[in-house]
Amino acid sequence: MPDIWKLKDKNFDKFIVNDDIQAKVSELAIRINKELEGIKPLFVVVLNGAFIFASDLLKKVTIDCEIAFVKLSSYQGTQSSGVVQQIIGLDLDIKGRTIVVIEDIVDTGLTLERFRKTLREMEPAEVRIATCLLKPDAFKNKFPIDYKCFSIPNEFVVGYGLDYDGLGRNSSDIYKIVEG
Ligand code: IMP
């Protein structure tokens, strides 16, 4: 991919190259292999964005584990509680299991906050979070992020699974929006 990438009406600058991503992913896999050995965790990959990160990470995870894929869809509920979240695809019994949710990016954390709550109702032993990217200024430490590759500024990024209006997922590098 070029150093400056035009997607629709926006330009994006190369930001994190794949070699740097792979180095962080390897470090993370080593930690996971150590910390979750013998526990047989269930990795829950949140589609669509996490597909490349999850693929790279899980190829380096060597302990016994299971992998499931979910899509989260939100809709406005009829009650005053507002947005309701539906999990599509999680057809396993997770009671008593150690769950590791794999996300592409945690921005405000609101999507994940609701997902954690829904998972908790299914009585897992624990829910850990693994994300490739974290925007700490937007997230403000709402809950623990157990595994992360990079903290980034509060700016829009694409590539490595992340999209801008459906485009840009197919890059092995991460790009950052050029403002103005
Ligand atoms: P939240 O604000 O943490 O709930 O983020 C929800 C979702 O928004 C993430 O899982 C991403 O799919 C998407 N998102 C957040 N920030 C970015 C970004 O910089 N680029 C592309 N997608 C993003």
Side-chain angles (χ1 to χ4, degrees), residues 5 9 15 29 38 45 66 80 86 88 97 126 155 172 176-177:
W5 197 12
D9 53 342
F15 177 42
V45 182
E66 287 181 75
S80 58
Q86 257 189 330
I88 303 159
R97 302 287 304 271
E126 67 171 319
E155 290 172 272
S172 50
K176 189 166 77 173
I177 198 161

Side-chain angles (χ1 to χ4, degrees), residues 7 22 29 34 39 52 74 104 121 143 146 155 158 172:
L7 293 169
Q22 294 306 328
K34 269 195 203 135
I39 295 177
I52 295 183
S74 299
D104 50 356
E121 284 161 12
F143 47 83
D146 306 275
E155 290 172 272
V158 294
S172 50

Side-chain angles (χ1 to χ4, degrees), residues 33-77:
N33 286 333
K34 269 195 203 135
E35 292 180 16
L36 300 180
E37 164 121 65
I39 295 177
K40 202 159 79 158
L42 171 64
F43 292 97
V44 176
V45 182
V46 181
L47 297 174
N48 297 324
F51 78 107
I52 295 183
F53 172 52
S55 165
D56 283 349
L57 178 67
L58 292 170
K59 279 184 280 188
K60 294 172 176 166
V61 167
T62 51
I63 54 173
D64 276 6
C65 64
E66 287 181 75
I67 304 169
F69 301 87
V70 295
K71 271 195 112 157
L72 306 179
S73 73
S74 299
Y75 57 92
Q76 294 297 321

